[in-house]
Amino acid sequence: MPVEFLGIAATNDGSETTPRSGPAFDKEYTLRLARAHEEHGWDRVLFAYGSGSPDPAPAAAYIASRLDRLQILLAHRPNVSYPTFAAKTFATLDQISEGRLTVHFITGGNDHEQGREGDTLTKDERYARTGEYIRIVKKIWTNHEPFDHEGEHYRFHDFVSDVFPVQQPRPGVSFGGSSPAAYAVGGAEADIYCLWGEPLAKTAEQIESVKAAAKAAGRTDVPRIQVAFRPIIAPTEELAWEKAHRTVGAIRRRREAGVVRHHRSGAPENTGSQRLIAIAEAGERYDRALWTPTAAATGGAGNSNALVGTPETVAQALLDYYDLGVDILSARGYHLLDDAIDFGRYVIPLVREEVARRDAERAARDGQALAAVRG
């Protein structure tokens, strides 16, 4: 099966290890980073969402109008706009990008962060709302006749959009989460299901949970699986591990100095972060290259487990996840621009080459088996 690579479309050069050098929306840097991804073998970039961050939709439109191939994954929280408005925004962006949009719907795993923009629903209520929201957006994208909606969270009448996506029947829907409620909604509605990087055995368990949820929802297909990591690569293993320890030291210093804004206090509320912390407490190193101190240093914040080693080691580690059925590999370094270039130069070609080799071998075996049956 084909493999795809997802990078980050940051609007400034700040990270967990480095303060930003300019404004929150640095237009020139945003374009430079996106262009680096397009020129170095990446398939798409994520425009993330934060309560006080620059709006990702116009930033994505800016990039889409200036680059030719790079696909866009746009993060969106249902609490910030009505689904009729959002569906039109997404369709317009798909037109601007000429069919390169996927939308990542975020339910929200932290009450404080959600409350910053007036969202007071409980976690379970938010998941129910997200499911309803996605269903409405899909219907607006594909329905050319006016319709009414009377749901638990949304009510409107006689609505039809005058702008439709380029992609037919619609753009892709991306979704993530590690709780039973997340599996239920994503299993029913998602084309892509996103997971944070965990040890192989735990990732396999989550994939089975997603498949079971899709089956329970009556689907005959299953979502594609995406897994996210923070790669730390260097020419030798020794240099990679030295770089890893410098990285986690920088994360800790910035947090201890109070220069990293906290979205929560105390233990995390979302299951995904709780899992990352539990994994880190159980051990620092797993499988071929997974390293957990980066996740521990951030309190399990988002995509934070690292893959450490030479490009060859990290490529083989990614292929281990590919063997589980993961066909979208998300990676984001700590020095965003330089790491995107290095990963594109030294890791992506190795993974693609090996995937192509395996696919060719599989096709040959299938051809031989078919010939034997016919013979």
Side-chain angles (χ1 to χ4, degrees):
M1 62 183 175
V3 63
E4 297 182 5
F5 288 90
L6 169 70
I8 191 70
T11 58
N12 61 72
D13 61 355
S15 76
E16 296 94 330
T17 63
T18 309
R20 74 183 189 223
S21 61
F25 180 49
D26 183 333
K27 187 169 69 172
E28 287 72 24
Y29 181 84
T30 301
L31 179 58
R32 192 175 350 134
L33 180 61
R35 183 171 285 129
H37 281 85
E38 182 171 84
E39 292 175 350
H40 291 88
W42 298 79
D43 296 285
R44 58 168 62 89
V45 289
L46 166 67
F47 282 86
Y49 190 93
S51 60
S53 301
D55 186 351
Y62 168 67
I63 293 304
S65 67
R66 285 158 176 79
L67 299 180
D68 298 323
R69 300 183 307 278
L70 193 66
Q71 298 175 52
I72 291 164
L73 179 60
L74 179 69
H76 180 76
R77 287 182 183 167
N79 61 291
V80 300
S81 69
Y82 215 70
T84 50
F85 176 84
K88 294 185 296 180
T89 299
F90 303 148
T92 303
L93 183 51
D94 200 53
Q95 291 282 344
I96 292 171
S97 68
E98 299 181 327
R100 288 179 280 148
L101 176 69
T102 300
V103 182
H104 180 67
F105 290 91
I106 302 173
T107 298
N110 178 264
D111 291 344
H112 181 221
E113 169 68 2
Q114 295 299 121
R116 284 176 167 161
E117 294 187 285
D119 189 4
T120 60
L121 298 185
T122 66
K123 182 179 177 181
D124 286 345
E125 289 170 337
R126 291 198 298 266
Y127 273 112
R129 178 183 61 191
T130 301
E132 183 178 347
Y133 197 99
I134 294 172
R135 291 189 292 273
I136 292 169
V137 168
K138 286 180 177 179
K139 189 169 184 178
I140 293 170
W141 280 341
T142 57
N143 197 316
H144 291 256
E145 298 296 329
F147 69 95
D148 299 341
H149 180 83
E150 293 282 347
E152 180 181 359
H153 297 279
Y154 302 102
R155 295 173 180 81
F156 55 85
H157 303 284
D158 198 39
F159 181 82
V160 63
S161 178
D162 196 33
V163 57
F164 291 89
V166 171
Q167 297 177 76
Q168 294 298 315
R170 57 172 177 77
V173 166
S174 172
F175 188 86
S178 298
S179 67
Y183 297 142
V185 174
E189 302 297 341
D191 302 300
I192 298 170
Y193 201 99
C194 306
L195 303 171
W196 289 333
E198 295 186 0
L200 290 164
K202 290 188 176 295
T203 299
E205 291 171 359
Q206 289 214 77
I207 292 173
E208 290 306 311
S209 295
V210 173
K211 290 180 178 179
K215 183 177 180 180
R219 292 177 61 168
T220 56
D221 64 336
V222 296
R224 298 173 65 191
I225 302 297
Q226 172 185 304
V227 178
F229 303 96
R230 307 299 294 271
I232 301 175
I233 62 172
T236 68
E237 295 292 327
E238 181 180 9
L239 289 173
W241 284 104
E242 289 177 0
K243 183 178 178 181
H245 288 287
R246 287 197 306 272
T247 297
V248 80
I251 295 171
R252 289 170 178 159
R253 286 191 296 274
R254 281 178 56 76
R255 288 178 65 87
E256 290 166 0
V259 295
V260 178
R261 186 173 185 180
H262 295 269
H263 291 314
R264 62 171 184 255
S265 59
E269 299 167 15
N270 61 307
T271 304
S273 292
Q274 292 169 2
R275 289 174 64 100
L276 293 186
I277 290 173
I279 291 166
E281 289 175 346
E284 288 194 358
R285 296 179 65 168
Y286 292 86
D287 304 319
R288 194 185 300 268
L290 191 72
W291 195 55
T292 66
T294 47
T298 63
N303 170 23
S304 51
N305 268 339
L307 291 177
V308 182
T310 63
E312 292 77 11
T313 295
V314 171
Q316 287 300 318
L318 292 170
L319 287 162
D320 291 338
Y321 288 88
Y322 175 81
D323 289 340
L324 294 181
V326 177
D327 67 343
I328 303 176
L329 300 167
S330 174
R332 172 165 56 103
Y334 291 95
H335 295 279
L336 302 178
L337 181 61
D338 291 344
D339 287 348
I341 293 170
D342 286 347
F343 189 89
R345 282 177 174 167
Y346 303 119
V347 178
I348 289 178
L350 296 176
V351 176
R352 291 199 192 280
E353 181 180 357
E354 178 60 18
V355 167
R357 186 188 68 79
R358 294 181 186 186
D359 286 349
E361 289 182 351
R362 186 179 301 110
R365 289 195 302 270
D366 291 345
Q368 292 171 356
L370 182 60
V373 170
R374 289 176 173 174

